[in-house]
Amino acid sequence: MYRTHSNGELNASHINTQVTLAGWVQKIRNKGFMIWVDLRDRYGITQLIFDEERTSKEVMEIASQLGREFVIQIDGTVIERESKNPNMPTGDIEILVKNITVLNKSLTPPFTIENETDGGEDLRMKYRYLDIRRKPVRENLVFRHKVTMAVRNYLSEKNFVEVETPYLIKSTPEGARDFVVPSRMNEGQFYALPQSPQTFKQLLMVGGMDKYFQIVKCFRDEDLRADRQPEFTQIDCEMAFVEQEDILNTFEGLTRHLLKEINGVGVSEFPRMTYDEAMRKYGNDKPDIRFGMEFGELNAATQHKDFNVFNQAELVVGIAVPGGNSFTRKEIDALIDWVKRPQIGAMGMVYCRYNEDGSFKSSVDKFYDQEDLQRWAAITGAKPGDLICVLSGEAHKVRSQLSALRMELAQRLGLRDPKVFAPLWVVDFPLLEWDEESQRYHAMHHPFTSPKPGQLELLETDPGAVKANAYDLVLNGNEIGGGSIRIHDKETQSLMFDYLGFTPQEAKAQFGFLMDAFQYGAPPHGGIAFGLDRLVAILGGQETIRDFIAFPKNNAGRDVMIDAPAPIDTAQLEELSLQLKIKD
Ligand code: ASP
């Protein structure tokens, strides 16, 4: 037997017990006549003591040659510690070692394997298996497991069935590029890895599964943005015979359950907001509603005052920054520089201080008097002591710029408390989205999303105005899930493909199987998918999803530990009937 106990469980009640322990050497303190070793495993750390007077010479000898991360097994007696450590569950005891076996040696690890490490990100990723020995990383993985178990239990109890769908499939249109896999047996042909199991889960509804879920890997070959992974995990769900309301209620239930079970937080409000309202009030379709700073549209209050910048702008919009009047001139100038950075792209920023005495001082005092500024304050909801920040220009650009500023300021002012959870449904998304590059409309969610009843006709006259039965679940300013009620009849689906620019041949080649299935009694259905990685990170009070993935890829999409992607040899290419042509 390798061990009788783990390294996290022994305490004063075990004193005088004979135990066998195994684990990794975390720390060694060698005083010659006495050696202390911290022995670590997944469950904790136990202090070992080797004492010249009570431990044999041979064992002392072996102990003196131990190095960090050696794997050892020891026999010994639990004894009371002289200097107790109240911060450790095992801090009252130590093990007086009788026998020791070195199970495996270790090279000196490239960084310290303790809660705080000196290892940089790259090094820790290269030796991720060592990083996983560290408590914070290990705990994140255990946390993720808890979340997935809670999801599985909740949905299973609600009669959902977890069904696996294939990974080697044909393109699924979630708006990214596919990762493709060449088929050896079908020369010149390729599988695509699923961007999501979308079409399969719909086919499961046609198959009568009624309630499906799957915790499933999805693959999207996108240009990598910070904290995106080319492979990520979804909690993918679909239900038959449902309307939007049924889906919202079911998954509000799941979210409440997770917040209660995992975070011990009861959520009273679970508000809903239309996409249009979210854009107008927060300039964003995933607003963080833990704090106010709602947009105030100032066009009417700023026109006809000779300030051409505002007169000519499609939108003049401001926010009140709580307590922002305490910002120094220098700090405000830095904010102006911040919004002018290319990543944000604002032309400039007008500001107005709301002094404690009720007076205003703005950067455009030349054009606006106290009465005007009082109106700005009323519209943005500013109070004495606040700072009003105003941006102007093309409506959709200004909204996203002010949204970025709002989030940045909230972060700086500590208004984004990770312990506070504010979920929100954003509903009534537009069905279509204009794509500048291809100069045409694309499905905003995906082409299987149904338009709101009675809106199909609008497609001809005002396509951008058509609203969809599509919804997102937002938590603390992050989209954690999104879904829709689907089209379930062949005619509407062909019309949609036609509208999205597929020729009938293309539609048939890519999605013929789905439209065929719709002809055999497809029930009305709809669903949602949660991004598990992000959900886990947010529930864990953090924002970096990499920290909750055992073996993540870096920002360039590389696994630096196994060094992938990598070239394959010529023989393998030949077998796949592929020829490599590398552009220089
Ligand atoms: N397949 C969709 C996605 O990955 C989710 C859904 O519509 O259920 O975003």
Side-chain angles (χ1 to χ4, degrees):
M1 191 158 62
Y2 275 114
R3 52 190 176 182
T4 53
H5 296 81
S6 79
N7 288 315
E9 66 177 298
L10 296 172
N11 55 44
S13 75
H14 298 91
I15 285 169
N16 291 329
T17 314
Q18 302 300 310
V19 297
T20 306
L21 299 180
W24 288 265
V25 172
Q26 171 154 319
K27 226 195 229 159
I28 308 157
R29 253 177 314 139
N30 191 342
K31 295 235 157 156
F33 58 96
M34 233 184 276
I35 302 169
W36 287 271
V37 167
D38 279 355
L39 189 65
R40 173 195 349 100
D41 65 12
R42 196 184 113 193
Y43 309 94
I45 290 173
T46 302
Q47 179 167 298
L48 313 178
I49 178 167
F50 301 79
D51 170 3
E52 206 174 49
E53 286 184 3
R54 294 175 287 176
T55 308
S56 75
K57 229 171 151 204
E58 300 81 71
V59 171
M60 281 309 278
E61 178 68 24
I62 297 172
S64 69
Q65 283 167 22
L66 290 174
R68 273 158 58 204
E69 301 308 315
F70 275 39
V71 188
I72 61 170
Q73 180 193 30
I74 58 98
D75 294 317
T77 315
V78 182
I79 60 173
E80 189 174 355
R81 242 203 245 190
E82 251 170 50
S83 50
K84 300 194 173 46
N85 182 347
N87 299 322
M88 279 172 82
T90 61
D92 284 349
I93 56 103
E94 58 194 353
I95 314 296
L96 178 62
V97 178
K98 186 146 174 275
N99 287 314
I100 181 168
T101 312
V102 174
L103 298 173
N104 211 341
K105 289 185 185 167
S106 171
L107 297 175
T108 306
F111 50 87
T112 44
I113 303 181
E114 293 184 31
N115 292 1
E116 297 295 328
T117 176
D118 53 357
E121 176 88 9
D122 287 350
L123 202 57
R124 293 197 292 115
M125 287 302 158
K126 185 161 168 27
Y127 297 92
R128 185 65 165 171
Y129 47 89
L130 296 180
D131 204 23
I132 292 172
R133 286 187 197 161
R134 294 174 50 236
K135 189 171 166 194
V137 182
R138 183 176 72 233
E139 282 190 340
N140 282 352
L141 297 182
V142 174
F143 183 79
R144 183 185 177 109
H145 166 73
K146 272 198 197 139
V147 176
T148 56
M149 284 305 286
V151 170
R152 285 207 161 93
N153 290 340
Y154 183 85
L155 292 176
S156 306
E157 244 168 54
K158 299 275 175 213
N159 234 347
F160 282 78
V161 179
E162 183 159 20
V163 182
E164 287 173 80
T165 53
Y167 282 155
L168 294 175
I169 65 165
K170 225 157 69 165
S171 180
T172 42
E174 298 280 359
R177 285 191 192 83
D178 291 317
F179 281 102
V180 294
V181 180
S183 162
R184 180 181 56 83
M185 292 198 291
N186 303 272
E187 208 172 284
Q189 298 192 351
F190 295 81
Y191 299 100
L193 300 180
Q195 293 184 37
S196 87
Q198 185 62 35
T199 48
F200 286 95
K201 66 175 173 175
Q202 292 193 240
L203 292 170
L204 286 171
M205 294 305 106
V206 181
M209 280 312 294
D210 201 62
K211 288 179 176 158
Y212 143 94
F213 84 101
Q214 185 182 187
I215 295 184
V216 62
K217 272 290 175 71
C218 300
F219 306 86
R220 296 186 190 176
D221 188 3
E222 289 177 291
D223 293 336
L224 293 155
R225 279 185 261 150
D227 211 29
R228 278 265 181 122
Q229 291 284 314
E231 59 177 296
F232 60 97
T233 307
Q234 282 189 346
I235 309 166
D236 190 43
C237 310
E238 195 78 3
M239 302 168 81
F241 302 108
V242 286
E243 296 175 336
Q244 173 165 309
E245 193 59 27
D246 302 305
I247 302 268
L248 299 194
N249 289 332
T250 303
F251 293 97
E252 174 174 327
L254 172 66
T255 310
R256 282 182 188 281
H257 175 75
L258 292 178
L259 287 169
K260 186 95 226 153
E261 180 96 357
I262 305 293
N263 298 83
V265 173
V267 178
S268 53
E269 299 270 308
F270 218 112
R272 295 177 189 182
M273 189 182 290
T274 65
Y275 170 87
D276 288 345
E277 189 184 351
M279 294 308 284
R280 219 176 39 244
K281 279 193 178 161
Y282 302 100
N284 198 313
D285 61 4
K286 44 178 186 336
D288 190 338
I289 55 166
R290 282 174 297 181
F291 54 95
M293 292 167 81
E294 285 179 18
F295 287 17
E297 297 190 0
L298 298 167
N299 290 59
T302 54
Q303 302 300 293
H304 319 302
K305 295 281 179 179
D306 294 339
F307 186 47
N308 273 336
V309 178
F310 282 179
N311 289 342
Q312 285 160 10
E314 184 186 356
L315 181 67
V316 181
V317 59
I319 47 172
V321 184
N325 190 26
S326 64
F327 291 175
T328 61
R329 177 64 203 264
K330 215 168 145 204
E331 283 170 325
I332 295 177
D333 284 344
L335 265 189
I336 297 175
D337 287 342
W338 190 88
V339 296
K340 282 162 81 176
R341 294 180 322 154
Q343 297 94 312
I344 309 295
M347 300 298 287
M349 184 182 95
V350 165
Y351 66 88
C352 173
R353 294 176 174 282
Y354 194 166
N355 297 317
E356 296 291 349
D357 65 7
S359 67
F360 297 93
K361 177 89 196 76
S362 84
S363 57
V364 283
D365 278 353
K366 240 189 359 204
F367 303 101
Y368 299 99
D369 59 24
Q370 293 288 305
E371 208 174 307
D372 295 324
L373 300 174
Q374 180 72 58
R375 277 184 77 196
W376 295 19
I379 293 167
T380 55
K383 295 187 192 58
D386 291 356
L387 178 77
I388 305 171
C389 297
V390 184
L391 301 182
S392 64
E394 245 179 279
H396 75 278
K397 284 192 187 150
V398 175
R399 288 205 168 99
S400 93
Q401 292 158 358
L402 192 62
S403 167
L405 178 64
R406 175 179 177 269
M407 292 297 268
E408 173 70 15
L409 285 167
Q411 190 72 35
R412 292 192 196 173
L413 296 170
L415 301 174
R416 303 193 66 200
D417 181 351
K419 297 245 159 17
V420 176
F421 293 95
L424 168 77
W425 284 111
V426 177
V427 297
D428 299 354
F429 271 80
L431 182 70
L432 304 167
E433 178 173 49
W434 181 253
D435 182 55
E436 281 297 332
E437 207 174 296
S438 57
Q439 285 291 303
R440 57 171 309 123
Y441 281 104
H442 283 239
M444 191 158 182
H445 188 48
H446 50 54
F448 314 111
T449 297
S450 67
K452 289 257 174 223
Q455 296 218 334
L456 207 55
E457 295 67 40
L458 259 182
L459 271 183
E460 291 306 323
T461 51
D462 190 3
V466 180
K467 293 287 191 279
N469 274 321
Y471 32 79
D472 274 358
L473 183 56
V474 175
L475 185 57
N476 297 356
N478 297 281
E479 180 204 324
I480 57 162
S484 60
I485 298 297
R486 327 297 183 189
I487 296 165
H488 66 280
D489 65 285
K490 185 179 173 187
E491 292 66 41
T492 315
Q493 190 64 72
S494 332
L495 205 73
M496 190 60 66
F497 284 135
D498 181 36
Y499 195 81
L500 293 171
F502 289 75
T503 65
Q505 293 75 15
E506 283 168 345
K508 189 163 171 12
Q510 272 194 59
F511 303 110
F513 63 93
L514 186 68
M515 289 194 284
D516 285 348
F518 283 175
Q519 291 178 289
Y520 290 94
H525 60 285
I528 189 168
F530 290 75
L532 178 69
D533 309 285
R534 172 128 301 120
L535 176 65
V536 169
I538 296 169
L539 295 178
Q542 296 174 37
E543 297 218 329
T544 318
I545 67 172
R546 248 198 326 269
D547 295 345
F548 290 85
I549 297 174
F551 298 106
K553 305 217 171 4
N554 73 7
N555 278 345
R558 295 199 70 85
D559 183 322
V560 295
M561 181 183 66
I562 61 172
D563 197 18
I568 55 175
D569 63 34
T570 324
Q572 212 174 351
L573 279 172
E574 263 168 25
E575 215 169 46
L576 294 166
S577 322
L578 293 179
Q579 242 183 5
L580 206 58
K581 232 186 182 171
I582 296 181
K583 286 188 261 168
D584 40 33

Coordinates of all heavy atoms in Angstrom, one line a residue, residues 174 195-198 201 218 220 234 236-238 445-446 449 479 482-484 486 527-529, ligand 1:
E174 N -21.2 28.9 -37.6 CA -21.3 29.8 -36.4 C -20.5 31.1 -36.6 O -20.2 31.8 -35.7 CB -20.8 29.0 -35.2 CG -21.6 27.8 -34.8 CD -22.9 28.1 -34.1 OE1 -23.2 29.3 -33.8 OE2 -23.6 27.1 -33.8
Q195 N -18.0 23.7 -35.1 CA -17.9 25.0 -34.4 C -18.9 25.0 -33.2 O -18.8 25.8 -32.3 CB -18.2 26.2 -35.3 CG -17.1 26.4 -36.4 CD -17.4 27.5 -37.3 OE1 -17.9 28.6 -36.8 NE2 -17.0 27.4 -38.5
S196 N -19.9 24.1 -33.3 CA -20.8 23.8 -32.3 C -21.6 22.6 -32.8 O -21.6 22.3 -34.0 CB -21.8 25.0 -32.0 OG -22.9 24.9 -32.8
P197 N -22.3 21.9 -31.9 CA -23.1 20.7 -32.4 C -24.5 21.2 -32.9 O -25.4 20.4 -32.9 CB -23.3 19.9 -31.2 CG -22.5 20.5 -30.1 CD -22.3 21.9 -30.5
Q198 N -24.6 22.4 -33.4 CA -25.9 23.0 -33.7 C -26.8 22.1 -34.5 O -27.9 21.8 -34.1 CB -25.7 24.4 -34.5 CG -27.0 25.1 -34.7 CD -27.7 25.5 -33.5 OE1 -27.1 25.8 -32.5 NE2 -29.1 25.4 -33.5
K201 N -27.9 18.8 -32.7 CA -28.8 18.9 -31.7 C -30.2 19.1 -32.2 O -31.2 18.7 -31.7 CB -28.5 19.9 -30.6 CG -28.4 21.4 -31.0 CD -28.1 22.2 -29.7 CE -27.9 23.7 -30.0 NZ -27.8 24.5 -28.8
C218 N -15.9 22.6 -28.7 CA -16.2 23.2 -30.0 C -14.9 23.8 -30.5 O -14.0 24.2 -29.8 CB -17.2 24.3 -29.8 SG -18.8 23.7 -29.1
R220 N -13.1 26.6 -33.2 CA -13.3 27.8 -34.1 C -12.0 28.4 -34.5 O -11.2 28.7 -33.6 CB -14.2 28.8 -33.5 CG -15.6 28.3 -33.3 CD -16.6 29.3 -32.8 NE -17.9 28.6 -32.4 CZ -18.9 29.1 -31.9 NH1 -19.0 30.4 -31.6 NH2 -20.0 28.4 -31.5
Q234 N -18.6 24.1 -24.5 CA -19.9 24.6 -24.3 C -20.8 23.7 -23.5 O -20.6 22.4 -23.5 CB -20.6 24.7 -25.7 CG -20.2 25.9 -26.5 CD -21.1 26.1 -27.8 OE1 -21.8 25.3 -28.2 NE2 -21.0 27.3 -28.4
D236 N -24.1 22.7 -24.2 CA -25.0 22.9 -25.3 C -26.3 22.2 -25.0 O -26.4 21.1 -24.5 CB -24.3 22.2 -26.5 CG -25.0 22.5 -27.8 OD1 -25.4 23.7 -28.0 OD2 -25.2 21.6 -28.6
C237 N -27.4 23.0 -25.3 CA -28.7 22.5 -24.9 C -29.8 22.7 -26.0 O -29.7 23.7 -26.7 CB -29.2 23.2 -23.6 SG -28.0 23.3 -22.3
E238 N -30.7 21.8 -26.0 CA -31.8 22.0 -27.0 C -33.1 21.4 -26.4 O -33.0 20.4 -25.7 CB -31.5 21.4 -28.3 CG -32.3 21.8 -29.5 CD -32.0 23.2 -30.1 OE1 -31.0 23.8 -29.6 OE2 -32.7 23.6 -31.0
H445 N -27.1 35.5 -35.4 CA -26.8 34.4 -34.5 C -26.3 33.2 -35.4 O -25.2 32.9 -35.4 CB -28.1 34.1 -33.7 CG -27.9 33.0 -32.7 ND1 -26.8 33.1 -31.8 CD2 -28.5 31.9 -32.4 CE1 -26.9 32.0 -31.0 NE2 -27.9 31.3 -31.3
H446 N -27.2 32.6 -36.1 CA -26.9 31.6 -37.1 C -28.1 31.4 -38.0 O -29.2 31.8 -37.7 CB -26.3 30.3 -36.6 CG -27.1 29.7 -35.5 ND1 -28.4 29.4 -35.7 CD2 -26.8 29.3 -34.3 CE1 -28.9 28.8 -34.6 NE2 -27.9 28.8 -33.7
T449 N -31.9 30.4 -37.0 CA -32.6 31.2 -36.0 C -33.9 31.7 -36.7 O -33.9 32.2 -37.8 CB -31.8 32.4 -35.6 OG1 -30.7 31.8 -34.9 CG2 -32.5 33.3 -34.7
E479 N -21.0 37.8 -22.0 CA -22.0 36.9 -22.6 C -21.6 35.5 -22.2 O -20.6 35.0 -22.5 CB -22.0 37.0 -24.1 CG -23.0 36.1 -24.8 CD -22.6 35.8 -26.2 OE1 -22.0 36.6 -26.9 OE2 -22.9 34.6 -26.6
G482 N -25.9 31.9 -25.3 CA -26.8 32.5 -26.4 C -27.5 31.4 -27.1 O -27.0 30.3 -27.2
G483 N -28.7 31.8 -27.6 CA -29.4 30.8 -28.3 C -30.6 31.4 -29.0 O -30.7 32.6 -29.1
S484 N -31.5 30.5 -29.5 CA -32.6 31.0 -30.3 C -33.7 29.9 -30.4 O -33.4 28.7 -30.2 CB -32.2 31.5 -31.7 OG -31.6 30.4 -32.4
R486 N -35.6 28.0 -33.2 CA -35.2 27.7 -34.6 C -36.3 27.7 -35.6 O -37.5 27.5 -35.2 CB -34.5 26.3 -34.6 CG -33.8 25.9 -33.4 CD -32.6 26.7 -33.1 NE -31.9 26.2 -31.9 CZ -30.9 26.9 -31.3 NH1 -30.6 28.1 -31.6 NH2 -30.3 26.3 -30.2
G527 N -33.1 26.4 -28.4 CA -32.0 26.0 -27.4 C -31.1 27.1 -27.1 O -31.3 28.3 -27.4
I528 N -30.0 26.7 -26.5 CA -29.0 27.7 -26.0 C -27.7 27.0 -25.8 O -27.7 25.8 -25.6 CB -29.5 28.3 -24.7 CG1 -28.6 29.5 -24.2 CG2 -29.6 27.3 -23.5 CD1 -29.2 30.4 -23.1
A529 N -26.6 27.7 -25.8 CA -25.3 27.1 -25.5 C -24.6 28.1 -24.5 O -24.6 29.3 -24.8 CB -24.5 26.9 -26.7
Ligands
ASP1 N1 -24.9 26.9 -31.5 C1 -25.1 28.2 -30.9 C2 -23.7 28.8 -30.5 O1 -22.7 28.1 -30.5 C3 -25.9 28.2 -29.7 C4 -27.4 27.9 -30.0 O2 -27.9 28.5 -30.8 O3 -27.9 27.1 -29.2 O4 -23.6 29.9 -30.2

